[in-house]
Amino acid sequence: MSVLGKETVKSFGEAIGHADVAEDVCSLIASDLEYRLRELTQEAAKFARQSKRRRVNPEDVNLALRMRNLEPLYGYASWSLMEGDESKFGFRRAGNSEAYYLPDKVLDLTSLVNAELPKVPVDVTLASHWLAIEGVQPDIPQNPPLVDKSKEDCGPVGVVSNMGPGASTLTALEAARTETGQGAAGTTAGVVQHPSSGAAAAAIAAAAAATPNVGPVVLKPIEKHELSMEQQLYYASITQGLLDNDQEYCKHAFQSLARDPGLHPLLPYFAQFVHQKVTESLGNLAVLTNMAKLESALLSNKNLFPELYLHQMLPPLLTCVVSKALTSDPSEDHWALRRLAAATVATVCHKFGDKYAVQARVTKTMINAVLKPDMAFVSQYGALVQLTALGPRVLDAVLVDNVKLFGEVLDKRKAVADELGKKEAGMVDEALFNACQTYVKWQQTETASLKSTLPTADVQRRYAEIREYFGGERVSAFM
């Protein structure tokens, strides 16, 4: 049974030109109308509770209507119920009809015309100031105050309640606490315990007597970065799976690391894990390969920001590029690991090289490894692969002019090497050939588009040295 009667619905229908509405239709409409009104009232009450009010006002009803894409009420405002008794709703009864209305306030036009005009509002203006200049915050009023880090206490911070005139003796309390060697671990509920040392106890007693208004010394605990249980389980599962070297599991793990958006809290833990395992696992090619793939997946994840951890992520990769102890069995394919690590380092350089000068330092390290006469063949191979991965402009700047000199030294070392050394020297020769091929193709493109800044004579000299070392038949595919 609806609270609204059928007569109400009929009167609404007659008002809009529908006088012949059936009785059962009026009943259904009345039930639906009551449901809508109750729903609207509940929504308006929610807005009132969120506004810390116990009374629902017209603004709450308007917000509820707007939330349901309905036209709000006109002619009623929240402020009209707050001004005085004359502005509250009025009630009139005419015959059997009842009506509620909002009385209109009578305004005196004379007083309204003679009233003082309000002040002109201030124009909106914009002011600019420097937040930082070359990484240094200027000491100006618009910026937050600078904190002198040299004066900050690295240990727990003492907080004293009821600070009084003698609160300066807090340092005596801290000194006594330090003497007893009781830090955050030696406190209960953040309150300093009574020390057993007689001198420390005397110092605390003297300080407490001099500062009767000082409350207990409360230690601020050192906050540690915490991971949720799900993140801890994810980290443990990934790390253990990579160490177990289950190929199917590793495949899905790398896909997850490369795409999942919620891995940023785990990034420092993964960086530290890779750094530790590469140091401990030199000679274990499977673990080293998984560590390189792990970092490659993390760096390819667009949802992560690894800039703060590059100092931990780059050394393991460079180790996988140039180390001569990647495997205990020379027959294993450690060359693929060096190529993978070199491609990952090149990704880091291309993303962050301009901002952190990473590429310049990597290039200097690699060219020194290439030109050092007594460097191991495998290390020279990794360095050449790395320089090639960095791009033809790097080859143009540091390698191409030294091809002839490096090739002569390589041939001399290859002539006196054993069978394994000759195989490794052949891989170095192939890496040098690929580097020259990359450079020549790029230089030909630059010359054809008139972008080359190198004189024609120097280009031809470089081509001649490459052709002389590798032979015309070998380089005929690209020269």
Side-chain angles (χ1 to χ4, degrees):
M1 180 64 182
S2 175
V3 176
L4 298 176
K6 294 181 289 184
E7 294 78 10
T8 304
V9 178
K10 279 189 175 182
S11 62
F12 290 158
E14 291 174 357
I16 60 175
H18 297 280
D20 53 347
V21 182
E23 294 289 334
D24 54 347
V25 174
C26 290
S27 300
L28 292 175
I29 294 177
S31 300
D32 185 72
L33 179 59
E34 181 186 358
Y35 170 77
R36 302 297 177 186
L37 288 175
R38 290 180 182 274
E39 191 176 33
L40 185 65
T41 304
Q42 290 177 0
E43 295 294 340
K46 291 179 183 179
F47 283 107
R49 285 195 297 270
Q50 292 296 328
S51 301
K52 309 299 181 184
R53 286 185 283 100
R54 299 179 62 184
R55 178 180 296 179
V56 177
N57 59 32
E59 186 62 27
D60 299 328
V61 178
N62 284 338
L63 291 174
L65 290 170
R66 189 177 294 113
M67 188 178 69
R68 298 187 175 277
N69 294 325
L70 298 176
E71 189 174 4
L73 299 175
Y74 297 105
Y76 302 98
S78 300
W79 57 265
S80 63
L81 301 178
M82 307 297 179
E83 292 182 352
D85 294 338
E86 72 276 8
S87 297
K88 293 184 178 179
F89 281 105
F91 171 74
R92 291 291 183 271
R93 184 190 300 273
N96 295 329
S97 300
E98 298 177 353
Y100 292 88
Y101 65 96
L102 185 65
D104 293 330
K105 185 177 180 180
V106 179
L107 298 177
D108 187 3
L109 293 180
T110 303
S111 60
L112 185 63
V113 171
N114 296 331
E116 294 183 2
L117 294 177
K119 293 183 179 180
V120 179
V122 181
D123 292 338
V124 178
T125 59
L126 297 177
S128 61
H129 66 276
W130 289 101
L131 293 175
I133 301 176
E134 295 184 355
V136 179
Q137 174 183 300
D139 188 8
I140 56 177
Q142 290 82 357
N143 288 334
L146 298 176
V147 179
D148 188 359
K149 294 186 179 181
S150 62
K151 297 182 180 179
E152 290 184 343
D153 185 10
C154 297
V157 179
V159 180
V160 180
S161 61
N162 302 325
M163 296 295 289
S168 60
T169 56
L170 174 62
T171 53
L173 294 172
E174 288 294 328
R177 180 187 63 79
T178 305
E179 181 180 348
T180 61
Q182 295 183 2
T187 62
T188 303
V191 181
V192 176
Q193 298 177 350
H194 294 288
S196 58
S197 172
I204 290 181
T211 57
N213 294 328
V214 177
V217 178
V218 181
L219 299 180
K220 182 180 179 181
I222 300 176
E223 295 183 3
K224 294 184 178 180
H225 183 255
E226 296 183 356
L227 298 176
S228 65
M229 182 60 66
E230 292 79 5
Q231 290 172 334
Q232 295 180 33
L233 293 175
Y234 182 88
Y235 174 79
S237 176
I238 290 291
T239 53
Q240 187 60 42
L242 296 183
L243 294 178
D244 293 341
N245 197 27
D246 183 351
Q247 296 299 323
E248 187 65 22
Y249 180 87
C250 291
K251 176 182 177 181
H252 294 292
F254 295 140
Q255 292 177 354
S256 173
L257 292 168
R259 293 183 302 194
D260 287 355
L263 301 181
H264 192 71
L266 294 173
L267 190 56
Y269 296 92
F270 280 128
Q272 186 178 8
F273 171 74
V274 172
H275 192 280
Q276 178 183 357
K277 291 305 175 182
V278 169
T279 304
E280 296 175 354
S281 305
L282 285 177
N284 190 337
L285 185 62
V287 173
L288 294 177
T289 302
N290 285 339
M291 295 302 103
K293 290 181 178 180
L294 170 60
E295 290 209 355
S296 177
L298 292 174
L299 290 169
S300 63
N301 193 327
K302 298 180 180 179
N303 302 292
L304 301 181
F305 303 95
E307 293 93 330
L308 298 178
Y309 313 105
L310 293 180
H311 64 285
Q312 288 183 305
M313 301 179 73
L314 272 178
L317 291 173
L318 294 176
T319 299
C320 293
V321 173
V322 298
S323 176
K324 60 181 180 181
L326 296 183
T327 176
S328 56
D329 184 4
S331 62
E332 290 185 315
D333 187 15
H334 58 91
W335 313 102
L337 172 59
R338 298 179 192 276
R339 291 191 294 270
L340 171 63
T344 308
V345 173
T347 301
V348 174
C349 293
H350 294 157
K351 283 187 176 181
F352 313 108
D354 296 338
K355 188 175 181 181
Y356 298 102
V358 177
Q359 181 167 321
R361 286 180 284 181
V362 172
T363 302
K364 183 178 180 181
T365 302
M366 295 300 119
I367 195 61
N368 289 337
V370 170
L371 300 180
K372 194 173 182 180
D374 55 345
M375 183 63 67
F377 288 127
V378 291
S379 300
Q380 288 184 327
Y381 173 85
L384 286 171
V385 171
Q386 183 64 79
L387 291 174
T388 306
L390 291 178
R393 295 187 183 276
V394 175
L395 300 175
D396 177 45
V398 300
L399 181 64
V400 178
D401 286 329
N402 300 305
V403 168
K404 185 177 180 181
L405 175 63
F406 175 75
E408 292 174 354
V409 175
L410 178 64
D411 290 341
K412 292 180 182 179
R413 295 181 61 192
K414 184 177 181 180
V416 298
D418 55 7
E419 184 177 355
L420 177 61
K422 290 181 179 180
K423 179 181 178 181
E424 293 176 347
M427 296 297 296
V428 175
D429 180 77
E430 181 181 352
L432 181 63
F433 177 78
N434 293 334
C436 293
Q437 183 178 5
T438 301
Y439 164 75
V440 170
K441 290 183 177 180
W442 169 79
Q443 186 62 59
Q444 290 173 347
T445 304
E446 292 288 298
T447 304
S449 60
L450 303 179
K451 294 181 180 180
S452 178
T453 59
L454 196 65
T456 305
D458 291 341
V459 174
Q460 296 302 325
R461 176 183 57 80
R462 288 180 171 182
Y463 287 175
E465 291 179 356
I466 294 174
R467 188 179 292 105
E468 179 183 355
Y469 176 72
F470 290 106
E473 182 178 354
R474 190 176 180 183
V475 300
S476 59
F478 60 88
M479 290 184 65

